[in-house]
Amino acid sequence: KDESDTEVLFQSLIHLGVEKTLEMIDGMFAFVFYEGKNDTLWLVRDPMGEKPLYYSSHLNNTFFSSEASGVAASSINKPNNIDQDALLQYLHLDYIPKNKSLLKGIQKVLPGQCIKISKGEINKINYFSYIQNKEKKIKLQEATESIGQLLEISVKERLIADVPVGIFLSGGIDSSL
């Protein structure tokens, strides 16, 4: 009705379902979708993991948020104790790998993953994998010649928005390209 990306996503989920929609969408996103007809909750995160999504499930209750603190504030798993292993990993690596968070009982949806919660059963589905999407090997010259065109296509696709667009350049390799 209004052509916003949120409404397009919502209508696609309603009319095509989660799996088919995930085959079609591209970009950064995290969303939660409830299918009332079969009492199923979907938690979905984009393939690169740009948008965070945390959750906690306990006794047929699921809490979710874009921040672990949001889940902790609403969770029935109180008090939320620090996960010592996750803390050690953070201190060693400067990030927390896998689906853990700093708080016990609160997990993150992994990049390229959707979590389907239906009838108290939690199924984790990896809908995207770098290995599955590995292209054929190409020569350096061919890669060098195609990078400009691929970058131009990628930037054009991300300039389509229903709000003003801003670009932040960090000076890194991708910004320099």
Side-chain angles (χ1 to χ4, degrees), residues 63-114:
F63 301 91
F64 54 88
S65 176
S66 61
E67 296 181 6
S69 61
V71 178
S74 62
S75 179
I76 57 174
N77 297 337
K78 294 189 181 193
N80 293 103
N81 296 321
I82 299 292
D83 183 327
Q84 298 295 324
D85 290 335
L87 178 60
L88 284 173
Q89 289 176 325
Y90 178 75
L91 293 173
H92 285 281
L93 303 170
D94 205 24
Y95 74 99
I96 303 170
K98 301 186 180 176
N99 66 337
K100 288 187 170 190
S101 77
L102 276 177
L103 300 174
K104 283 185 180 178
I106 297 177
Q107 300 178 54
K108 53 187 167 183
V109 178
L110 296 174
Q113 183 181 64
C114 66

Side-chain angles (χ1 to χ4, degrees), residues 7-8 15 20 26 42 51 61 66 78 89 156 177:
E7 183 170 357
V8 171
H15 296 290
K20 186 70 175 167
D26 181 30
W42 296 85
K51 296 291 185 180
N61 292 301
S66 61
K78 294 189 181 193
Q89 289 176 325
K156 279 183 181 177
L177 286 170

Side-chain angles (χ1 to χ4, degrees), residues 2-18:
D2 66 12
E3 297 181 20
S4 72
D5 54 359
T6 303
E7 183 170 357
V8 171
L9 174 64
F10 182 62
Q11 293 297 333
S12 180
L13 291 166
I14 289 171
H15 296 290
L16 303 175
V18 175

